[in-house]
Amino acid sequence: AQTVTQSQPEMSVQEAETVTLSCTYDTSENNYYLFWYKQPPSRQMILVIRQEAYKQQNATENRFSVNFQKAAKSFSLKISDSQLGDTAMYFCAYVSNSGYALNFGKGTSLLVTP
Amino acid sequence: DAMVIQNPRYQVTQFGKPVTLSCSQTLNHNVMYWYQQKSSQAPKLLFHYYDKDFNNEADTPDNFQSRRPNTSFCFLDIRSPGLGDAAMYLCATSRVRGGNQPQHFGDGTRLSIL
């Protein structure tokens, strides 16, 4: 079974600063997908960014970018120019190419302060 | 806006009293999932429907059942809730099943057991 580890239960960053959330995973497969989901307080979980393992180029979505290191099985999320609305629980998730179930990490609670 | 809607947001039931959680979607997606998220833990897939085809995860307790009467609705039934079933229950959908398919989540239902 694949495992996803987020080693930072809580993080804090000041508005306009940059923060990086860590995620590592364990798999024996070569083709898979990695996701970062954001869950604001009392609101639904939404997809932030997605990375296909067969693509070497790191995915980017506006202020959000990833550092995907396939050999190291590492998938970190960088949030640039942090905004108060970025305050949320962030989940890293893995799905194999042939699978469907999201394997989530335990999450990192990010607080953006003024 | 197309979305995934879960009702109720908060549910309280008594130990051993059957309870049903509801999920509806306007995305016309073929796949609907139910995840269980216990406090400070990662969400874990219980089961999913691909169209009318029910797929149970191997370690999902028999106490949990699901129904999908039509494309739009899916229900989670807990026949005899125990204290250990207190959790956030997340419904998600995807257009088709596969690792490359992003999942769209509802706000979740937080279940408490008295």
Side-chain angles (χ1 to χ4, degrees):
Chain A
Q2 296 81 15
T3 56
V4 178
T5 302
Q6 294 178 249
S7 59
Q8 305 149 315
E10 295 179 347
M11 293 192 72
S12 180
V13 63
Q14 280 196 315
E15 203 173 3
E17 297 294 310
T18 296
V19 64
T20 298
L21 309 183
S22 301
C23 174
T24 59
Y25 57 94
D26 184 26
T27 184
S28 58
E29 302 198 10
N30 192 46
N31 292 324
Y32 49 88
Y33 298 85
L34 296 164
F35 304 86
W36 279 99
Y37 279 88
K38 167 186 175 182
Q39 187 177 37
S42 300
R43 294 182 61 188
Q44 68 186 151
M45 194 166 341
I46 58 175
L47 179 64
V48 174
I49 201 165
R50 180 178 74 172
Q51 175 80 41
E52 292 100 338
Y54 59 85
K55 288 188 177 180
Q56 292 187 339
Q57 186 174 5
N58 289 324
T60 299
E61 287 287 341
N62 300 314
R63 297 182 295 108
F64 298 87
S65 60
V66 298
N67 183 4
F68 173 49
Q69 301 290 327
K70 190 172 183 179
K73 297 179 183 176
S74 171
F75 183 60
S76 61
L77 175 69
K78 185 172 82 171
I79 306 174
S80 303
D81 186 25
S82 297
Q83 300 176 0
L84 296 178
D86 294 334
T87 291
M89 182 71 83
Y90 287 80
F91 290 96
C92 177
Y94 165 103
V95 182
S96 69
N97 186 47
S98 59
Y100 50 83
L102 285 165
N103 291 283
F104 287 96
K106 289 189 175 183
T108 295
S109 178
L110 176 67
L111 175 65
V112 181
T113 58
Chain B
D1 287 343
M3 56 176 51
V4 181
I5 303 166
Q6 290 189 245
N7 285 306
R9 291 292 305 277
Y10 301 91
Q11 176 73 57
V12 181
T13 191
Q14 291 179 331
F15 183 94
K17 185 175 181 181
V19 65
T20 295
L21 309 183
S22 171
C23 177
S24 64
Q25 54 125 346
T26 60
L27 296 161
N28 203 31
H29 282 174
N30 291 303
V31 192
M32 296 185 77
Y33 309 82
W34 280 103
Y35 288 85
Q36 179 192 60
Q37 184 182 13
K38 294 187 177 181
S39 180
S40 301
Q41 295 187 24
K44 181 181 177 184
L45 183 66
L46 294 172
F47 29 57
H48 75 279
Y49 270 96
Y50 193 155
D51 199 9
K52 297 180 181 180
D53 183 27
F54 177 71
N55 298 268
N56 200 27
E57 294 302 300
D59 53 357
T60 298
D62 293 340
N63 201 24
F64 291 84
Q65 305 284 325
S66 186
R67 296 170 284 132
R68 189 179 186 185
N70 54 53
T71 301
S72 301
F73 284 86
C74 193
F75 300 99
L76 169 61
D77 301 309
I78 309 178
R79 290 190 296 186
S80 181
L83 296 179
D85 296 329
M88 174 75 85
Y89 289 87
L90 299 171
C91 176
T93 72
S94 64
R95 188 176 60 83
V96 293
R97 190 171 55 192
N100 64 338
Q101 295 295 315
Q103 295 184 18
H104 302 261
F105 285 83
D107 287 341
T109 294
R110 185 169 296 281
L111 177 67
S112 299
I113 314 294
L114 300 180

